[in-house]
Each structure stands twice: as C-alpha cells, then as structure tokens.
Amino acid sequence: MSVSELTIKLVGFNEAQRSNFESILNLAESKLQQQWKIVSSEGQADFFIFTEEPLQATIDSSIPLERRLLCTQDPNNAEQRIFVNTRMIPSLRSLVAVLNRQKQPQPADPASAPTKEEPHADAQAATATAPPITDTIAEAPDTSTVFYPEQGLLKALLEARSAAQPLAITANALKLWIDPVANVYYSSEALENLAPYCLANPPSLSAYPVTPADLQRTVSNADMPTGPLKDLIWYVAYKSSQGRLLQGSSPEDIVNLLQWPNFKLPECSNYVRLAAFMHSNALALGEIAASVKMPATDIYNFYNACFLIGLIEKGLTIQLHKKIPNTERESLLNKIRNRLK
C-alpha cells in the first residue's frame, strides 16, 4: 500500500496529452509504491516531467536535476526515461518503472539538513532495502484484479467447445445443451437471464455427456431455441469478468480486434465505438481507455469476451490510423446502431 503522496507537474504537454497521461497514471496506481498526483503549480510539484529535453531550459535552474524526469520515444532510452508514443501517451510499464525509482525529494534549504544528513541517509537506505509490502504478496493469485476463466459456468462452456460429443450443463433451474460439432447451444433461457450464473462457482453446476440422438430428441420435443456457441461464451465471459483483466494478458499487450462480435448480444451494442477503434488500430491495451474515453474496467470486460472466442490478435507494433472525422464517424456509428434495432 502507498505510504505517501508525491506530486508531478507536466511540462510541454497540451490538455489532451495531460488527460491521457493522467488516465495511464490512474491505471498504474495499484503497481506504484507511492501515491502520485498531477498538479498545475510549480510550487506544489515534487517532480517535473518534460515532453522533451530542451524544455528543461524553461525551468528555473534552482530545481535539482534529480527532480526532472524526461519522456522519450526512443526504445533505447526507455530504461531511464518514460517511454511514450507519438501522441505522448506513456507506456504503463515504463511509467511504473521510472516512478518507482523516485524518492521523496530532500528539503530545498541546505541549512536544515547538516546535523541530520547521516541519519536521514540511513533512513533512506533502510527504506530502499526493505521490500515493499506488495512484493511479499505478489506470488499469490489476486482474484480481485485478475480474471481466471477456468471457473464455474465459463469453464464448463470452454471445455464443452472442444468436447468429442454433446454435453448437457445444469445449474439449479438453468439447463443448456451444447453441440460442439455444430458449434451451437440450445436453451429456453434468454441470455440476459444467465447473469446470476456467471459466478466463480454457481450452485449445483454439473456437466455430463449425452448422445447426439438424446440431444436431438430433447431439443426437438421442447422446440428449444438455438444460437452460436461463441455468442454464449462471449456473453458469459463478459458478465463473469467484472472489470478484471484476463489471466495471461497485460495492459502492455498490443492488441487488435480482428472481427466484430455480434452487436445484437445483450449489452454488446454499448461497445460499437470501442470495437471500431480496436478494429482500426493496434494499441497497448492499457492505453485504449484514454483514446476512447471509457473506463478500463469496461474495456477489460469487452476484451476478455472477444479474446476467448478468438476475435483478438496480439502484435508487436503499435498501429494508429487517422481518425474518421467526427461527423463521418458519428454517422457511421448511428447506421450500425440502427441496423441492430
């Protein structure tokens, strides 16, 4: 847990870049050893972050060099500086690494330190050698922030997808029949009614194989509706995520949406704008929130569901394409929404 708060003044950033930087800083909060806050006043700042080195000349020389942090777009300098893309959006990993190396600045008045210089240095050394509290629990799985898909109803569906024969899945009143060969499911329940079953361990969950003949007899007699299995997995994964990022994924992963999901699924139409951005661009997952102005938790829910049905591609290179003008983009999105009605 953070033990103190340090402040940053951004120098050379415009308003949009400042907003993006603040969004990434918020995402980094759980990984930082201290709390960090962006301030607008030079007098309140513990550290200054510059978009480029020449801007240091605009700051009074009385500010020590150790309080001046630089950004870079050169990967070779990223170890000591904050790595940013062409839009000045910082890499989450780089930002955490640089900020965690910074310590509380010493008092500006040298007269206040002489007699206490050595004890204070000892205290600094003791703090530096003591492992942070977060490091002592890093090995334990954190189910509050990490989404483990191999649990509950979602686990049963993922296993059914690769089963050799049809399966019946039951959980209290819920009954699902899965045909992995045809990649479809059967259920008399609407998808919206499955939300209570999207828990880590829903009550009385069981899955057992049935013969193709039994499956056909059951669904025919009940005149049971059917749908694509991938739609069922998408919705259950989406509702099960609860704002957590999928195990094995990282905010640093550069991701691209290969194909749009079925926007007729419950709640999926809320993500048309996000899907359009992710389909046209390849960007680090942790940086998408600032670009589309959506909470990271919503993006993780959408990403998890799309990843588990094979709609996400991970890459090595960021690819940002020219944005569609606002009027044209809004017209396009409105047409898509109208088709979903």
Side-chain angles (χ1 to χ4, degrees):
M1 180 178 294
S2 300
V3 295
S4 62
E5 180 178 82
L6 296 177
T7 53
I8 303 168
K9 176 175 172 55
L10 301 178
V11 182
F13 292 77
N14 61 35
E15 191 59 36
Q17 291 168 345
R18 174 192 167 102
S19 176
N20 290 338
F21 196 104
E22 194 164 15
S23 297
I24 301 302
L25 183 62
N26 290 336
L27 286 175
E29 184 176 2
S30 63
K31 299 184 179 182
L32 293 171
Q33 296 171 6
Q34 294 176 299
Q35 292 179 348
W36 290 82
K37 178 183 178 182
I38 296 175
V39 295
S40 56
S41 169
E42 293 183 13
Q44 297 175 326
D46 295 314
F47 293 90
F48 295 79
I49 297 181
F50 299 85
T51 55
E52 52 185 307
E53 193 161 2
L55 283 173
Q56 289 193 84
T58 66
I59 298 297
D60 192 297
S61 59
S62 64
I63 297 175
L65 289 176
E66 60 267 22
R67 293 173 59 189
R68 307 181 187 188
L69 308 178
L70 298 176
C71 295
T72 181
Q73 294 181 29
D74 181 0
N76 295 325
N77 292 330
E79 185 174 345
Q80 298 299 326
R81 300 181 181 182
I82 300 170
F83 184 65
V84 296
N85 64 18
T86 55
R87 299 172 59 203
M88 296 307 301
I89 300 176
S91 157
L92 184 65
R93 180 180 301 171
S94 173
L95 184 65
V96 168
V98 172
L99 294 187
N100 278 345
R101 286 198 293 266
Q102 311 310 315
K103 293 181 170 42
Q104 187 75 39
Q106 297 296 313
D109 182 5
S112 64
T115 59
K116 297 183 179 181
E117 184 174 349
E118 289 188 9
H120 185 78
D122 292 342
Q124 288 275 359
T127 302
T129 55
I133 294 176
T134 51
D135 286 350
T136 63
I137 60 173
E139 298 300 322
D142 185 359
T143 56
S144 65
T145 59
V146 179
F147 173 48
Y148 295 90
E150 296 298 318
Q151 300 183 54
L153 178 58
L154 182 57
K155 176 184 179 182
L157 293 177
L158 294 176
E159 291 176 347
R161 181 171 56 181
S162 57
Q165 66 183 92
L167 290 174
I169 299 174
T170 64
N172 285 0
L174 174 67
K175 292 185 178 180
L176 299 169
W177 282 265
I178 311 297
D179 185 345
V181 176
N183 285 314
V184 297
Y185 77 97
Y186 299 88
S187 176
S188 56
E189 291 286 351
L191 284 177
E192 296 92 326
N193 297 334
L194 300 188
Y197 300 95
C198 298
L199 306 171
N201 292 295
S204 306
L205 177 68
S206 64
Y208 52 91
V210 296
T211 66
D214 286 339
L215 171 66
Q216 289 304 315
R217 187 181 309 110
T218 300
V219 299
S220 297
N221 291 342
D223 193 20
M224 197 169 295
T226 184
L229 180 56
K230 66 179 181 179
D231 285 357
L232 175 61
I233 293 175
W234 189 98
Y235 184 72
V236 173
Y238 170 78
K239 297 301 290 186
S240 301
S241 295
Q242 299 178 356
R244 300 167 295 172
L245 181 57
L246 183 68
Q247 179 191 22
S249 294
S250 164
E252 298 298 315
D253 291 340
I254 297 174
V255 301
N256 174 242
L257 185 67
L258 296 173
Q259 181 181 340
W260 289 12
N262 180 1
F263 289 120
K264 293 185 178 181
L265 292 172
E267 302 183 54
C268 191
S269 61
N270 297 333
Y271 295 91
V272 171
R273 184 163 60 92
L274 172 62
F277 179 85
M278 292 180 66
H279 188 263
S280 300
N281 302 278
L283 188 63
L285 186 58
E287 298 178 1
I288 294 175
S291 298
V292 298
K293 294 181 171 47
M294 290 182 66
T297 51
D298 286 350
I299 291 171
Y300 289 167
N301 291 341
F302 179 81
Y303 164 83
N304 295 345
C306 290
F307 183 89
L308 289 174
I309 62 171
L311 301 186
I312 297 290
E313 179 182 52
K314 292 185 180 182
L316 300 175
T317 306
I318 291 175
Q319 295 181 3
L320 288 174
H321 300 287
K322 185 177 179 181
K323 291 184 177 180
I324 303 172
N326 286 341
T327 54
E328 185 180 342
R329 181 177 68 245
E330 289 303 320
S331 175
L332 173 62
L333 297 183
N334 286 335
K335 287 179 181 179
I336 294 173
R337 292 190 185 98
N338 289 334
R339 290 176 183 174
L340 299 178
K341 292 179 180 179

